[in-house]
Amino acid sequence: GSWKGGVATITTSEFVDGKMVKMKQPFRAYDSYADSLTDYARLISTSPRYESVLRASTAEEAARRVQDAGYATDPNYADKLISIMAYFDTGAQP
């Protein structure tokens, strides 16, 4: 509601009642990757919904807490995020 920037409506895959469905959803549009990451960091660090993420002792635990807080509808979101983090940490294929 407080977003004053651009919005892009994208067809996305969401999980509803355990089933993946395609739907059009509005997403914030940014001028740069840096702006996007800055806004994400602001969301995670200031929203009471995600306060448990800040207390995570590992990046993997933080990923699970982000999922538990409802950031994404994909029930495998945390596992996918952890796999991507491992790829960039080691350079190995996920």
Side-chain angles (χ1 to χ4, degrees):
S2 64
W3 178 247
K4 303 285 189 246
V7 173
T9 301
I10 306 293
T11 299
T12 183
S13 298
E14 301 291 338
F15 285 81
V16 179
D17 296 325
K19 295 183 182 190
M20 187 173 61
V21 295
K22 298 280 187 186
M23 55 179 40
K24 291 188 183 265
Q25 295 283 85
F27 287 87
R28 291 179 179 192
Y30 299 94
D31 292 330
S32 69
Y33 289 120
D35 289 348
S36 172
L37 293 170
T38 297
D39 193 44
Y40 178 79
R42 182 205 51 76
L43 171 69
I44 297 299
S45 65
T46 63
S47 172
R49 178 178 183 175
Y50 299 104
E51 78 180 46
S52 72
V53 176
L54 302 177
R55 294 190 307 273
S57 59
T58 66
E60 293 79 11
E61 181 182 350
R64 297 209 185 283
R65 289 182 180 196
V66 166
Q67 179 177 332
D68 291 345
Y71 183 78
T73 61
D74 183 341
N76 297 310
Y77 176 80
D79 290 334
K80 291 174 182 177
L81 183 56
I82 290 165
S83 177
I84 292 167
M85 293 184 317
Y87 171 80
F88 283 104
D89 190 38
T90 65
Q93 293 295 322

